[in-house]
Amino acid sequence: LKKVNFVKFDPTIELHMRLGVDPRHADQMVRGVTTLPSGTGKDVKVLVFAQGDKVTEARNAGADFVGLDDMMKDIEGGWLGFDVAIATPDVMGKISRLGKRLGPRGLMPNPKAGTVSVDVARAVREVKAGRVEFRVDKTGLVHVPIGKLSFSDDQIMQNLTATVNEIVRSKPTGAKGQYVRSVVLCSTMSPSVRLDLPSALALKLS
């Protein structure tokens, strides 16, 4: 990837895995989160929907934006200046009306993604440290950013290994036959590099 990079900025490395699942069936859906040991390489802007004491907890943990009614009003007005939204369970009923605006962009808080939590401080710290969400698309592909090309080879390998391990661990009960069909890496505007499948699946965190 470093040899075939021709852009003048620090590109993001993306992992693409083709899985032998049909996500139209609930028992073949693949979705989860993984924490990249070396981080994502970018400053993640975190919004927390909370009220009461949780507002202070979120701010102390490093959340960039915290609130409820004021944040909802801004979003309904078209503002989307954040990368991840986290919410406490008690406000989910209220923010559900933001689903049409946040859902299509993958920004709606979701318990399965770990973005609906009573422990907002921990959720904020994990996202800031490099937690990323993955979800299989309708064609059976998973796309996950795993860091920046400027990372050392070891940092890239650590992030790659953690992500592949978590996607393999998330194999759904309804998956039949070969689960992982291919593993490919690319960076922004670069050719893709296909990995040797057995070698990729044998990766273990050191």
Side-chain angles (χ1 to χ4, degrees):
L1 284 178
K2 292 183 177 182
K3 288 177 182 177
V4 296
N5 174 48
F6 304 105
V7 298
K8 295 182 179 179
F9 55 89
D10 187 12
T12 297
I13 299 177
E14 297 174 356
L15 167 68
H16 303 273
M17 295 175 66
R18 180 175 293 281
L19 305 179
V21 297
D22 183 348
R24 292 175 299 178
H25 300 290
D27 65 347
Q28 295 188 48
M29 188 65 192
V30 179
R31 181 175 189 173
V33 294
T34 185
T35 299
L36 303 179
S38 303
T40 61
K42 68 180 243 181
D43 179 26
V44 181
K45 299 292 184 185
V46 179
L47 162 67
V48 175
F49 293 108
Q51 55 191 354
D53 295 341
K54 296 298 180 182
V55 171
T56 304
E57 284 183 32
R59 287 202 178 109
N60 290 343
D64 300 278
F65 311 100
V66 188
L68 187 56
D69 293 333
D70 52 340
M71 294 289 108
M72 291 175 64
K73 186 177 179 180
D74 288 346
I75 290 168
E76 287 173 335
W79 176 74
L80 291 170
F82 55 94
D83 302 301
V84 177
I86 294 169
T88 53
D90 60 308
V91 303
M92 283 302 292
K94 193 164 190 177
I95 69 169
S96 61
R97 71 173 192 253
L98 299 176
K100 288 184 179 180
R101 191 171 292 274
L102 299 183
R105 295 171 174 82
L107 294 173
M108 190 67 186
N110 186 296
K112 292 181 179 178
T115 48
V116 176
S117 175
V118 175
D119 192 349
V120 289
R122 178 180 176 183
V124 169
R125 286 193 295 267
E126 286 181 350
V127 169
K128 288 281 190 179
R131 190 177 72 178
V132 293
E133 181 182 356
F134 57 85
R135 180 176 184 172
V136 66
D137 68 16
K138 61 183 180 182
T139 65
L141 289 168
V142 173
H143 317 273
V144 195
I146 61 166
K148 294 289 187 176
L149 199 62
S150 60
F151 283 11
S152 70
D153 292 358
D154 185 56
Q155 288 176 313
I156 295 170
M157 284 300 296
Q158 289 287 317
N159 284 358
L160 170 65
T161 301
T163 308
V164 170
N165 284 184
E166 188 59 34
I167 292 173
V168 170
R169 196 187 69 79
S170 300
K171 179 180 180 179
T173 55
K176 301 290 191 296
Q178 185 178 354
Y179 175 49
V180 179
R181 304 287 177 85
S182 66
V183 181
V184 174
L185 288 179
C186 70
S187 63
T188 310
M189 297 172 66
S190 85
S192 60
V193 178
R194 185 179 293 268
L195 306 188
D196 175 70
L197 188 56
S199 298
L201 297 180
L203 289 171
K204 294 287 183 288
L205 284 171
S206 57

